[in-house]
Amino acid sequence: KSKGQCYLFTGQIANTESELKKLAQEHPELSEAYLTKQKQIKSKIRDHDNLNYLKKILSELENVLDQVETELQRRVEETPEEGHQPWLCSESFTLADVSLSVTLHRLKFLGLARKYWGNGKRPNLESYYERVLQQRTFRKVLGNVNNILISAVLPTAFRVAKKRAPSFLGASFIVSLLGGIGYLAFLFLKKRLS
């Protein structure tokens, strides 16, 4: 994580903690539930930074994707019709497919597609994901992998800009002004040297 991300993340955590404390004070009958939630959040944060926990999650992901590959293979064998490829649970695209599709799309965005299903490692999963990308509704909602980047970055950028609007706008203005002056100087020198 970059320093900026850590500060932003820490700030969000601090806001959540103070909000839970405030709610616990406002609603004493729910105090225990709010404080338990606060402890759970802190625990998840510690897990998030724990390398062993991350390795465990990735190992579990391997197991789940192996199970999905096996299920997709079974589905293909059950419906031997040429050109007909069933979805995960039925002939129709179901909620299970939506969930799996979004997960695979996120893995693709993270650059993990080749590791988990590329190069023939899980051929059924690979063809499944290719079919998902052909779904009009999927393309309309999630579209290109780059759209995930935009949806992940823009909200944070807007929050930072809103929080630090005067300094952000001032810095943007100065950078734009310097860029404009540099461009005009370039044009001036180009004209003089020609």
Side-chain angles (χ1 to χ4, degrees):
K1 290 182 211 171
S2 72
K3 261 187 180 175
Q5 287 174 319
C6 285
Y7 290 132
L8 186 62
F9 187 65
T10 304
Q12 290 171 340
I13 303 283
N15 288 341
T16 303
E17 284 186 62
S18 65
E19 191 64 29
L20 287 170
K21 283 180 185 177
K22 189 167 80 172
L23 287 169
Q25 289 171 353
E26 291 173 6
H27 306 282
E29 70 281 6
L30 298 173
S31 176
E32 187 178 328
Y34 286 125
L35 296 176
T36 300
K37 184 66 173 175
Q38 185 181 21
K39 288 177 187 174
Q40 289 172 343
I41 289 171
K42 285 183 179 180
S43 174
K44 284 191 183 279
I45 293 166
R46 282 192 298 274
D47 286 345
H48 182 271
D49 292 335
N50 182 339
L51 190 58
N52 291 330
Y53 181 74
L54 180 60
K55 287 179 182 177
K56 177 183 168 221
I57 295 290
L58 292 176
S59 174
E60 288 174 10
L61 177 62
E62 283 280 353
N63 293 336
V64 167
L65 293 179
D66 283 341
Q67 291 171 6
V68 170
E69 176 70 14
T70 301
E71 180 60 25
L72 289 171
Q73 180 62 40
R74 187 183 68 74
R75 300 275 302 141
V76 167
E77 290 169 1
E78 283 179 355
T79 53
E81 300 147 27
E82 189 66 33
H84 179 75
Q85 295 178 313
W87 294 104
L88 188 59
C89 296
S90 74
E91 304 302 310
S92 303
F93 195 78
T94 64
L95 191 54
D97 296 297
V98 171
S99 179
L100 178 60
S101 300
V102 171
T103 300
L104 295 176
H105 205 57
R106 181 57 61 132
L107 289 170
K108 173 83 172 176
F109 165 71
L110 293 172
L112 297 172
R114 186 178 304 164
K115 176 181 179 172
Y116 288 112
W117 68 82
N119 298 328
K121 182 172 184 176
R122 292 184 178 97
N124 293 306
L125 195 59
E126 188 172 2
S127 71
Y128 174 88
Y129 182 65
E130 290 302 319
R131 287 188 294 128
V132 163
L133 293 177
Q134 301 307 311
Q135 290 287 312
R136 186 182 58 78
T137 52
F138 186 84
R139 284 193 321 270
K140 186 175 181 181
V141 174
L142 289 178
N144 191 322
V145 170
N146 296 329
N147 293 349
I148 296 174
L149 177 61
I150 292 168
S151 69
V153 171
L154 283 181
T156 302
F158 284 131
R159 267 197 310 276
V160 169
K162 185 177 176 185
K163 197 178 237 181
R164 300 186 184 133
S167 62
F168 180 77
L169 292 174
S172 298
F173 176 72
I174 290 171
V175 168
S176 299
L177 185 63
L178 290 174
I181 291 170
Y183 181 70
L184 290 174
F186 168 75
L187 290 176
F188 177 75
L189 288 173
K190 183 179 173 185
K191 199 176 211 180
R192 269 195 106 185
L193 295 174
S194 302

